[in-house]
Amino acid sequence: MNILILGGGGREHALAWAFAQNPKCDRLFCAPGNAGIAEEATCVALDILDGAKVLEFVWANDIEFVMVGPEAPLAEGVADVLRAAGVATFGPGRGAARLEASKAFTKEICAACGAPTAASETFTDPDAARAYVRAQGAPIVVKADGLAAGKGVTVAMELGEAEAALDAIFAEGPGARVVVEAFMSGEEASLFVVADGEALLLLGTAQDHKRAFDGDEGPNTGGMGAYSPAPVMTAGVTERALAEIVRPTLAEMARRGTPYQGVLYAGLMIEDGAPRLVEYNVRFGDPEAQVLAMRLGAQLLDVCLACAEGELGSARANFADDHAITVVVAAEGYPGEVRRGEPIGLAETADPRVKVFHAGTKAVDGQLVSAGGRVLNATARAATLAEARDLAYGAAEAVDWPGGFFRRDIGWRALGRG
Ligand code: GLY
């Protein structure tokens, strides 16, 4: 079958790499793609927020399955347009995508279904928000309500930080909405499930590293590295997260007439074995998709396809007893301003346990150059996390790019458990 992937980051490269290995995949297209994806798929310039344009492309190229990578097209309702036209599509419609597009909506769903999460209040009035924050004191968490590409959350350890976060959000103008919630302590981890409106399939666990620098220092980023599985997500914690958070959420979404279809990425805080919801995302994480794809390989297409076709009940995800890790190589200055267009030397390895996924890259006159903040994801899979870590760092070190940097301690928490 011909397949179209929407998106152009490391997540989409990992998806394209996994899909291309599956014999079901004939022609693979990706919009817009990147230089690495171009080795697996035909990259096309397409406005992926415009459902009608995407549908036109689908019809013109006999596409039978569309995989939506990022959240923005989902929040725009691109999956609704495609499904209404009878195209098998992976990803929730606009109504269900609100689980990521509105933090206030997620809080409402948690309250309705009893899913444990931090206590919160939602504000549209800046003065009321400031008064609430002062009354609560720090530490406290301030979240912009809408999509903010991973940058809308401030975990403020001091009151001044929380007030500055409120100022920044309300400076966006009228209509700005903020969720202020209690600080949660514990260990963060992510749970990935695929749901088709009826059945649910557990796809794995992972842990991201959100801060830019070693030791979890520096500004928040989209993620500087990840590994799977996350040891804190024991079978017991996973079962509790499914029973207390994910299944009730899916039931509530179905009850409201917006059944959830796609991958639901639950960001969790775990303390004393009890999971609480931090946030939902309605797509695979980036870079968490890279480690899940590395572990699942070609079967990722079977699972995503079964989900899109409403046949998840008979689908399986077979995990080996293995570990995967990815190290993000970013441009100096990320998550702030970065230089683009810097030449990168990349020696491909023949080792099947290692893959360098591309995020912000492009090819200019045959030369690979940087084209974004997060640029490459050195990824490896092995029998132990330590072995996978050594392989991934070997690949990151081999990147010839003086303008790049990466954290040296990805996986520290799990590796430190011994
Ligand atoms: N790595 C965090 C995210 O994808 O939102």
Side-chain angles (χ1 to χ4, degrees):
M1 64 169 50
N2 294 343
I3 297 172
L4 170 65
I5 298 175
L6 302 184
R11 166 184 47 217
E12 288 77 22
H13 189 188
L15 295 170
W17 171 83
F19 287 9
Q21 294 172 46
N22 191 309
K24 284 192 187 125
C25 180
D26 293 324
R27 293 201 72 190
L28 182 59
F29 297 90
C30 188
N34 62 32
I37 295 173
E39 288 166 19
E40 317 281 357
T42 303
C43 294
V44 289
L46 194 58
D47 180 357
I48 65 169
L49 300 183
D50 185 335
K53 288 263 159 48
V54 175
L55 187 57
E56 222 171 83
F57 183 85
V58 162
W59 280 333
N61 292 280
D62 297 324
I63 308 278
E64 288 171 79
F65 173 51
V66 179
M67 175 81 198
V68 186
E71 60 277 21
L74 296 168
E76 283 295 322
V78 169
D80 299 293
V81 174
L82 296 172
R83 268 198 287 274
V87 182
T89 304
F90 183 93
R94 189 203 297 262
R98 290 183 74 206
L99 283 174
E100 178 164 359
S102 169
K103 307 227 175 327
F105 176 74
T106 296
K107 288 293 185 186
E108 182 190 315
I109 293 291
C110 286
C113 72
T117 184
S120 73
E121 293 286 339
T122 300
F123 299 92
T124 50
D125 174 36
D127 292 335
R130 282 190 200 101
Y132 180 78
V133 161
R134 281 188 207 119
Q136 297 296 310
I140 195 157
V141 180
V142 176
K143 297 179 169 178
D145 182 49
L147 290 183
K151 291 179 190 143
V153 177
T154 302
V155 180
M157 301 313 287
E158 286 166 19
L159 205 51
E161 228 184 315
E163 289 178 327
L166 288 177
D167 290 345
I169 295 168
F170 285 115
E172 297 287 311
R177 215 150 67 127
V178 69
V179 175
V180 181
E181 67 176 35
F183 174 82
M184 288 191 279
S185 52
E187 185 172 341
E188 268 196 82
S190 308
L191 179 68
F192 294 86
V193 301
V194 177
D196 67 0
E198 288 182 9
L200 170 159
L201 184 71
L202 180 60
L203 218 50
T205 63
Q207 204 163 44
D208 191 8
H209 297 61
K210 296 244 167 62
R211 300 280 181 168
F213 309 129
D214 287 11
D216 289 334
E217 299 283 341
N220 253 330
T221 70
M224 293 299 291
Y227 56 92
S228 171
V232 68
M233 294 300 297
T234 59
V237 172
T238 301
E239 199 35 63
R240 278 190 70 170
L242 290 173
E244 296 170 18
I245 301 173
V246 174
R247 288 188 202 279
T249 298
L250 295 173
E252 178 64 17
M253 294 304 287
R255 195 188 66 75
R256 292 179 179 223
T258 48
Y260 192 88
Q261 190 264 48
V263 61
L264 187 62
Y265 155 2
L268 304 170
M269 186 68 81
I270 294 102
E271 193 173 35
D272 300 330
R276 284 189 288 170
L277 184 74
V278 177
E279 63 178 13
Y280 279 127
N281 293 304
V282 298
R283 35 77 194 177
F284 281 104
D286 188 344
E288 293 93 327
Q290 289 81 318
V291 285
L292 294 175
M294 202 72 186
R295 296 185 68 206
L296 285 163
Q299 58 179 328
L300 192 54
L301 175 59
D302 298 320
V303 169
C304 294
L305 204 51
C307 174
E309 290 172 344
E311 287 170 7
L312 207 50
S314 54
R316 296 280 166 275
N318 297 309
F319 281 97
D321 184 13
D322 62 0
H323 299 257
I325 188 164
T326 187
V327 177
V328 171
V329 184
E332 252 167 43
Y334 175 76
E337 287 301 309
V338 298
R339 276 200 303 275
R340 290 160 202 262
E342 294 187 337
I344 299 171
L346 196 57
E348 277 299 331
T349 168
D351 188 338
R353 297 170 302 170
V354 178
K355 179 72 192 169
V356 177
F357 294 115
H358 291 222
T361 66
K362 64 181 182 182
V364 177
D365 299 331
Q367 170 67 55
L368 183 68
V369 301
S370 62
R374 292 189 293 175
V375 173
L376 296 167
N377 313 137
T379 311
R381 168 189 184 214
T384 66
L385 185 59
E387 203 185 332
R389 184 259 325 262
D390 292 348
L391 290 166
Y393 272 108
E397 300 281 3
V399 174
D400 181 7
W401 176 31
F405 80 98
F406 50 87
R407 276 182 63 157
R408 304 267 164 184
D409 62 349
I410 302 302
W412 67 269
R413 207 186 284 271
L415 290 161
R417 285 172 195 259

